[in-house]
Each structure stands twice: as structure tokens, then as C-alpha cells.
Amino acid sequence: MPVSFEPRTRLAHLEEYVTKIHLKLPPDEAWVQLLRCRVVAYSLIAEISESAYSKRYVDQFFVQAYRNLSESCGQDLRDPFSDPCVSQYQILDELRSYGSRELSEPFLRFIRAEFKKAFVPTLRLLTDLCHSENKYSWEEMKLQLMEIMDQLHVDVTWKECEEKLEKYMKKIEGTIYMN
């Protein structure tokens, strides 16, 4: 199958991949990949810019992906976007736990590599989508993420994270926040 850069084709391939991710990866890696893939999916629907391809469209196939992953690993892995307020805390707790758990070096390298591409934009979106008074502000979230980056020895600066995040947020803002 030839590689396509056309957003609709990429989104279709991404949808197929995430709904079968539980067959391809261990649960921890699949969870991180699902975070990263959703960031990409939101970017693709922004490129497509048609009402049929909305945040709701993306969220529906991710709900199925999390359901499939939960069933295959025997754990309740809820879609973080189903409750952005609770998910802020859960993702931060998970990231903090990596510093004290015995994790393989390949998995830690994977986490470090995905930090600015998966965790930073996901937590920014969750922060924006949470409407509770008991949520972290983005400034509080940034401080926590910087501490975790230091703890995990992430080889990227916060400035690099913010530059990538700023471009991403400008791209998706008209698509994600409309729903």
C-alpha cells in the first residue's frame, strides 16, 4: 500500500490502527500511542476542515480503541477525553510513577521521546477541556510537567515543548473547541 500524505487517507489509516492497537502493542505502550495518535487525529481533522470530520468523529473511534484495549488487557482503561478533569490527575500520576518503577530502558526511551509529542499536547487539551474549578491551570500543569521531565531525564527543553505546542494549538483551535 503506497504511503499517502492526504489527510483523509491518513485519518482512515490512523482509525484502523488505533482500533487494532491492542493486538499490536503491550498495554502501557498502546496507552501512550493512543495519546499520541489522538493528537495527530485532531491535527488531521483540522487539515481536512469539513464538518463530517469533527472532534466528535475522532472521539468515537478512540472510545472504541480504549474499549478494545481494556478488554484485551483486563483493565479498565477509560478514554482520558471522556473525563478531562480526572484524566489530568491520572496522567500526571502515571508519569510520576515512571520515576519510581522498574521500567525497561527501551520503554523509558519511548516515554522520553513521546513527551513533547504526546503528553504535553494531551495535557494542554485536557486542561482546556476541563471546566471544573478544581483543575490545574495550564501554568500549574507546566510546572508539574517540567518537574516530571527533569525526573525522567527527558532530553528536550520546555521551550521546545512550548514551540511545538503553540504551533499545534493554532492549527487545531478552530476544530477542537467548537464542539
Side-chain angles (χ1 to χ4, degrees), residues 120-175:
V120 172
T122 296
L123 285 164
R124 173 59 192 268
L125 289 169
L126 293 173
T127 300
D128 289 354
L129 294 171
C130 175
H131 300 294
S132 169
E133 292 179 18
N134 297 326
K135 73 175 187 175
Y136 286 119
S137 69
W138 180 240
E139 291 304 313
E140 293 168 320
M141 184 64 70
K142 286 191 314 189
L143 293 173
Q144 302 233 10
L145 287 169
M146 286 188 274
E147 286 176 20
I148 293 167
M149 288 170 65
D150 187 50
Q151 177 188 28
L152 297 178
H153 309 291
V154 175
D155 190 24
V156 67
T157 66
W158 184 253
K159 183 179 180 190
E160 292 169 291
C161 291
E162 281 198 317
E163 287 169 358
K164 184 165 182 70
L165 179 63
E166 186 177 327
K167 289 177 191 173
Y168 177 73
M169 296 305 288
K170 281 181 183 175
K171 183 175 187 175
I172 66 156
E173 68 186 347
T175 306

Coordinates of all heavy atoms in Angstrom, one line a residue, residues 120-175:
V120 N 2.5 16.5 26.5 CA 2.3 17.9 26.6 C 1.1 18.4 25.9 O 0.2 19.0 26.5 CB 3.6 18.7 26.1 CG1 3.3 20.2 26.1 CG2 4.8 18.4 27.0
P121 N 0.9 18.0 24.6 CA -0.4 18.5 24.0 C -1.6 17.8 24.6 O -2.7 18.5 24.7 CB -0.2 18.1 22.5 CG 0.9 17.2 22.4 CD 1.7 17.4 23.6
T122 N -1.5 16.6 25.0 CA -2.7 15.9 25.6 C -3.1 16.6 26.9 O -4.3 16.9 27.1 CB -2.4 14.4 25.9 OG1 -2.2 13.7 24.6 CG2 -3.6 13.8 26.6
L123 N -2.1 16.9 27.7 CA -2.4 17.6 29.0 C -2.9 19.0 28.8 O -3.7 19.5 29.5 CB -1.3 17.5 29.9 CG -1.1 16.1 30.5 CD1 0.2 15.8 31.2 CD2 -2.3 15.8 31.5
R124 N -2.4 19.7 27.7 CA -2.9 21.0 27.4 C -4.4 20.9 27.0 O -5.2 21.7 27.5 CB -2.1 21.6 26.3 CG -2.6 23.0 25.8 CD -2.7 24.0 27.0 NE -3.5 25.1 26.6 CZ -3.0 26.3 26.1 NH1 -1.7 26.4 25.9 NH2 -3.7 27.3 25.7
L125 N -4.7 20.0 26.1 CA -6.1 19.8 25.7 C -7.0 19.5 26.9 O -8.1 20.0 27.0 CB -6.2 18.7 24.6 CG -5.6 19.1 23.3 CD1 -5.5 17.9 22.4 CD2 -6.5 20.2 22.6
L126 N -6.6 18.5 27.7 CA -7.4 18.1 28.9 C -7.6 19.3 29.8 O -8.7 19.5 30.3 CB -6.7 17.0 29.6 CG -6.7 15.6 28.8 CD1 -5.9 14.6 29.6 CD2 -8.1 15.1 28.5
T127 N -6.6 20.1 30.0 CA -6.7 21.3 30.8 C -7.7 22.3 30.3 O -8.6 22.8 31.0 CB -5.3 22.0 31.0 OG1 -4.4 21.1 31.6 CG2 -5.4 23.3 31.8
D128 N -7.6 22.5 29.0 CA -8.6 23.4 28.3 C -10.0 22.9 28.3 O -11.0 23.6 28.5 CB -8.2 23.7 26.9 CG -6.9 24.5 26.7 OD1 -6.4 25.0 27.8 OD2 -6.5 24.7 25.6
L129 N -10.2 21.6 28.2 CA -11.5 20.9 28.1 C -12.1 20.7 29.5 O -13.3 20.5 29.6 CB -11.4 19.6 27.3 CG -11.1 19.8 25.9 CD1 -10.8 18.4 25.2 CD2 -12.1 20.5 25.1
C130 N -11.3 20.8 30.5 CA -11.9 20.6 31.9 C -12.4 21.9 32.4 O -11.8 23.0 32.3 CB -10.8 20.2 32.9 SG -11.3 20.1 34.6
H131 N -13.7 21.9 32.8 CA -14.4 23.1 33.2 C -14.6 23.2 34.7 O -15.4 24.0 35.2 CB -15.7 23.3 32.5 CG -15.5 23.4 31.0 ND1 -14.8 24.4 30.4 CD2 -15.8 22.5 30.0 CE1 -14.8 24.2 29.1 NE2 -15.4 23.1 28.8
S132 N -13.9 22.4 35.5 CA -14.0 22.3 36.9 C -13.2 23.4 37.5 O -12.1 23.8 37.0 CB -13.6 21.0 37.4 OG -13.4 21.0 38.8
E133 N -13.6 23.9 38.7 CA -12.8 24.9 39.4 C -11.6 24.2 40.1 O -10.7 24.8 40.5 CB -13.7 25.6 40.5 CG -14.7 26.5 39.9 CD -15.6 27.2 40.9 OE1 -15.1 27.2 42.1 OE2 -16.6 27.7 40.6
N134 N -11.7 22.9 40.2 CA -10.6 22.1 40.9 C -9.6 21.6 40.0 O -8.9 20.6 40.3 CB -11.3 21.0 41.7 CG -12.2 21.5 42.8 OD1 -11.9 22.5 43.4 ND2 -13.2 20.7 43.0
K135 N -9.4 22.2 38.8 CA -8.5 21.7 37.9 C -7.1 22.4 38.0 O -7.1 23.5 38.6 CB -9.0 21.8 36.5 CG -9.0 23.3 36.0 CD -9.3 23.3 34.5 CE -9.2 24.8 34.0 NZ -9.4 24.8 32.5
Y136 N -6.1 21.8 37.4 CA -4.9 22.5 37.3 C -5.0 23.6 36.2 O -5.6 23.3 35.2 CB -3.7 21.6 36.9 CG -3.2 20.7 38.0 CD1 -3.3 19.3 37.9 CD2 -2.7 21.2 39.2 CE1 -2.8 18.4 38.8 CE2 -2.2 20.3 40.2 CZ -2.3 19.0 40.0 OH -1.8 18.1 41.0
S137 N -4.5 24.8 36.5 CA -4.4 25.7 35.4 C -3.2 25.3 34.5 O -2.4 24.4 34.8 CB -4.0 27.1 35.9 OG -2.7 27.1 36.5
W138 N -3.1 25.9 33.3 CA -2.0 25.5 32.4 C -0.7 25.8 33.0 O 0.3 25.1 32.9 CB -2.2 26.0 31.0 CG -1.1 25.6 30.1 CD1 -0.2 26.4 29.5 CD2 -0.7 24.3 29.8 NE1 0.7 25.7 28.8 CE2 0.4 24.3 29.0 CE3 -1.2 23.0 30.2 CZ2 1.1 23.2 28.5 CZ3 -0.5 21.9 29.7 CH2 0.6 22.0 28.9
E139 N -0.6 26.9 33.7 CA 0.6 27.3 34.4 C 1.0 26.3 35.5 O 2.2 25.9 35.6 CB 0.5 28.7 35.0 CG 0.4 29.8 34.0 CD 1.6 29.9 33.0 OE1 2.8 29.8 33.5 OE2 1.3 30.0 31.8
E140 N 0.1 25.8 36.2 CA 0.4 24.8 37.2 C 0.8 23.5 36.5 O 1.7 22.8 37.0 CB -0.9 24.5 38.1 CG -1.2 25.7 39.0 CD -2.6 25.5 39.6 OE1 -3.5 25.1 39.0 OE2 -2.7 25.9 40.8
M141 N 0.1 23.2 35.5 CA 0.4 21.9 34.7 C 1.8 22.0 34.1 O 2.6 21.0 34.2 CB -0.6 21.8 33.6 CG -0.5 20.5 32.8 SD -0.7 19.0 33.8 CE -2.5 19.1 34.0
K142 N 2.2 23.2 33.6 CA 3.6 23.3 33.1 C 4.6 23.0 34.1 O 5.6 22.3 33.9 CB 3.8 24.7 32.5 CG 3.1 24.9 31.2 CD 3.4 26.2 30.5 CE 3.5 27.4 31.2 NZ 3.7 28.7 30.4
L143 N 4.4 23.6 35.3 CA 5.4 23.4 36.4 C 5.5 21.9 36.7 O 6.6 21.4 36.9 CB 5.0 24.2 37.7 CG 5.1 25.7 37.5 CD1 4.5 26.3 38.8 CD2 6.5 26.1 37.3
Q144 N 4.4 21.2 36.8 CA 4.4 19.8 37.1 C 5.1 19.0 36.0 O 5.9 18.1 36.2 CB 2.9 19.3 37.2 CG 2.2 20.0 38.3 CD 1.6 19.1 39.3 OE1 1.8 17.9 39.4 NE2 0.8 19.6 40.2
L145 N 4.8 19.3 34.7 CA 5.4 18.7 33.6 C 6.9 18.9 33.6 O 7.7 18.0 33.3 CB 4.8 19.1 32.3 CG 3.4 18.6 32.0 CD1 2.7 19.3 30.8 CD2 3.4 17.0 31.8
M146 N 7.3 20.1 33.9 CA 8.8 20.4 33.9 C 9.5 19.5 35.0 O 10.6 19.0 34.8 CB 9.1 21.9 34.1 CG 8.8 22.7 32.9 SD 9.3 24.4 33.0 CE 7.8 25.1 33.8
E147 N 8.8 19.4 36.2 CA 9.4 18.5 37.2 C 9.5 17.1 36.7 O 10.5 16.4 37.0 CB 8.5 18.6 38.5 CG 8.6 19.9 39.2 CD 7.7 19.9 40.4 OE1 7.2 18.8 40.9 OE2 7.4 21.0 40.9
I148 N 8.5 16.6 36.1 CA 8.5 15.2 35.6 C 9.5 15.0 34.5 O 10.3 14.0 34.5 CB 7.1 14.8 35.1 CG1 6.1 14.8 36.3 CG2 7.1 13.5 34.4 CD1 4.6 14.7 35.9
M149 N 9.7 16.0 33.6 CA 10.7 15.9 32.6 C 12.1 15.8 33.2 O 12.9 15.0 32.8 CB 10.6 17.2 31.7 CG 9.4 17.2 30.8 SD 9.2 18.8 29.9 CE 10.7 18.9 28.9
D150 N 12.3 16.6 34.3 CA 13.6 16.5 35.0 C 13.8 15.2 35.6 O 14.9 14.6 35.5 CB 13.7 17.7 36.0 CG 15.0 17.8 36.6 OD1 16.0 17.8 35.9 OD2 15.1 17.8 37.9
Q151 N 12.8 14.7 36.3 CA 12.8 13.4 37.0 C 13.1 12.3 36.0 O 13.9 11.3 36.3 CB 11.5 13.2 37.7 CG 11.4 11.8 38.4 CD 10.0 11.6 39.0 OE1 9.0 12.1 38.4 NE2 9.9 10.8 40.0
L152 N 12.5 12.3 34.8 CA 12.7 11.2 33.8 C 13.8 11.5 32.9 O 14.1 10.7 32.0 CB 11.4 11.1 33.0 CG 10.1 10.7 33.8 CD1 8.9 10.6 32.9 CD2 10.3 9.3 34.5
H153 N 14.5 12.6 33.1 CA 15.7 12.9 32.2 C 15.3 13.0 30.7 O 15.9 12.5 29.9 CB 16.8 11.9 32.4 CG 17.2 11.7 33.8 ND1 17.8 12.7 34.6 CD2 17.0 10.7 34.7 CE1 18.0 12.3 35.8 NE2 17.5 11.0 35.9
V154 N 14.2 13.7 30.5 CA 13.7 13.9 29.1 C 14.7 14.9 28.5 O 14.9 16.0 29.0 CB 12.2 14.5 29.1 CG1 11.8 14.8 27.7 CG2 11.3 13.5 29.8
D155 N 15.1 14.5 27.3 CA 16.2 15.2 26.6 C 15.5 16.2 25.6 O 15.8 16.2 24.4 CB 17.1 14.3 25.9 CG 18.3 15.0 25.3 OD1 18.7 16.0 25.8 OD2 18.9 14.5 24.3
V156 N 14.7 17.1 26.2 CA 14.1 18.2 25.4 C 13.9 19.4 26.4 O 13.6 19.1 27.6 CB 12.8 17.7 24.7 CG1 11.7 17.4 25.7 CG2 12.4 18.7 23.7
T157 N 13.9 20.6 25.9 CA 13.7 21.7 26.8 C 12.2 22.0 26.8 O 11.5 21.7 25.9 CB 14.5 22.9 26.3 OG1 14.0 23.4 25.1 CG2 16.0 22.7 26.2
W158 N 11.8 22.8 27.9 CA 10.4 23.2 27.9 C 10.1 24.2 26.8 O 9.1 24.2 26.2 CB 10.1 23.8 29.3 CG 8.6 24.1 29.3 CD1 8.1 25.4 29.2 CD2 7.6 23.2 29.3 NE1 6.7 25.3 29.2 CE2 6.4 23.9 29.2 CE3 7.5 21.8 29.4 CZ2 5.1 23.3 29.2 CZ3 6.2 21.2 29.4 CH2 5.1 22.0 29.3
K159 N 11.1 25.0 26.4 CA 11.0 25.9 25.3 C 10.6 25.2 24.0 O 9.7 25.6 23.3 CB 12.2 26.7 25.1 CG 12.1 27.8 24.0 CD 13.4 28.6 23.9 CE 13.1 29.6 22.8 NZ 14.3 30.3 22.4
E160 N 11.3 24.0 23.7 CA 11.0 23.2 22.6 C 9.6 22.7 22.6 O 8.8 22.7 21.6 CB 12.0 22.1 22.4 CG 13.4 22.5 22.1 CD 14.4 21.3 22.2 OE1 14.6 20.9 23.3 OE2 14.8 20.9 21.1
C161 N 9.2 22.2 23.8 CA 7.8 21.7 24.0 C 6.8 22.8 23.7 O 5.8 22.6 23.0 CB 7.6 21.2 25.4 SG 8.5 19.7 25.8
E162 N 7.0 24.0 24.2 CA 6.1 25.1 24.0 C 6.0 25.6 22.6 O 4.9 25.9 22.1 CB 6.4 26.3 25.0 CG 6.0 26.1 26.4 CD 5.9 27.4 27.2 OE1 6.9 28.2 27.1 OE2 4.9 27.5 27.9
E163 N 7.1 25.6 21.9 CA 7.1 26.0 20.5 C 6.3 25.0 19.7 O 5.5 25.4 18.9 CB 8.6 26.0 19.9 CG 9.3 27.2 20.4 CD 10.8 27.2 20.1 OE1 11.3 26.2 19.5 OE2 11.5 28.1 20.5
K164 N 6.5 23.7 19.9 CA 5.7 22.7 19.2 C 4.2 22.8 19.6 O 3.3 22.7 18.7 CB 6.2 21.3 19.5 CG 5.5 20.2 18.7 CD 6.4 18.9 18.7 CE 5.7 17.8 17.9 NZ 5.8 18.0 16.5
L165 N 4.0 23.0 20.9 CA 2.6 23.1 21.4 C 1.9 24.3 20.8 O 0.7 24.2 20.4 CB 2.6 23.1 22.9 CG 1.2 23.3 23.5 CD1 0.4 22.0 23.2 CD2 1.4 23.5 25.0
E166 N 2.6 25.4 20.7 CA 2.0 26.6 20.2 C 1.5 26.5 18.7 O 0.4 26.8 18.3 CB 2.9 27.8 20.3 CG 2.3 29.1 19.9 CD 3.3 30.3 20.1 OE1 4.2 30.2 21.0 OE2 3.3 31.2 19.2
K167 N 2.4 25.8 17.9 CA 2.0 25.6 16.5 C 0.8 24.6 16.4 O -0.1 24.8 15.6 CB 3.2 25.0 15.8 CG 4.3 25.9 15.5 CD 5.5 25.2 14.8 CE 6.7 26.1 14.8 NZ 7.9 25.3 14.3
Y168 N 0.8 23.6 17.3 CA -0.2 22.6 17.3 C -1.6 23.3 17.7 O -2.6 23.1 17.0 CB 0.1 21.5 18.2 CG -1.0 20.5 18.3 CD1 -1.2 19.6 17.3 CD2 -1.8 20.4 19.5 CE1 -2.3 18.6 17.4 CE2 -2.8 19.5 19.6 CZ -3.0 18.6 18.5 OH -4.1 17.7 18.6
M169 N -1.6 24.1 18.7 CA -2.8 24.7 19.2 C -3.4 25.7 18.2 O -4.6 25.7 18.0 CB -2.5 25.4 20.6 CG -2.2 24.4 21.7 SD -3.3 23.1 22.0 CE -4.7 24.0 22.7
K170 N -2.5 26.4 17.5 CA -3.0 27.3 16.5 C -3.7 26.5 15.4 O -4.7 26.9 14.8 CB -1.9 28.1 15.9 CG -1.5 29.3 16.8 CD -0.3 30.1 16.2 CE 0.1 31.2 17.1 NZ 1.3 31.9 16.6
K171 N -3.1 25.4 15.0 CA -3.7 24.6 14.0 C -5.0 24.0 14.3 O -6.0 24.0 13.5 CB -2.7 23.4 13.6 CG -3.1 22.5 12.5 CD -2.1 21.5 12.2 CE -2.4 20.8 10.9 NZ -1.4 19.8 10.5
I172 N -5.2 23.5 15.5 CA -6.5 22.8 15.9 C -7.5 23.6 16.5 O -8.7 23.2 16.7 CB -6.2 21.6 16.8 CG1 -5.6 22.1 18.1 CG2 -5.2 20.6 16.1 CD1 -5.9 21.1 19.2
E173 N -7.2 24.9 17.0 CA -8.1 25.6 17.8 C -9.5 25.8 17.2 O -10.5 25.7 17.9 CB -7.6 27.0 18.2 CG -7.4 27.9 17.0 CD -6.7 29.2 17.4 OE1 -6.5 29.5 18.6 OE2 -6.3 30.0 16.5
G174 N -9.7 26.0 15.9 CA -11.0 26.1 15.3 C -11.8 24.9 15.2 O -13.0 24.9 15.1
T175 N -11.1 23.7 15.3 CA -11.7 22.4 15.2 C -12.1 21.8 16.5 O -13.2 21.4 16.7 CB -10.8 21.5 14.5 OG1 -10.3 22.1 13.3 CG2 -11.4 20.2 14.2

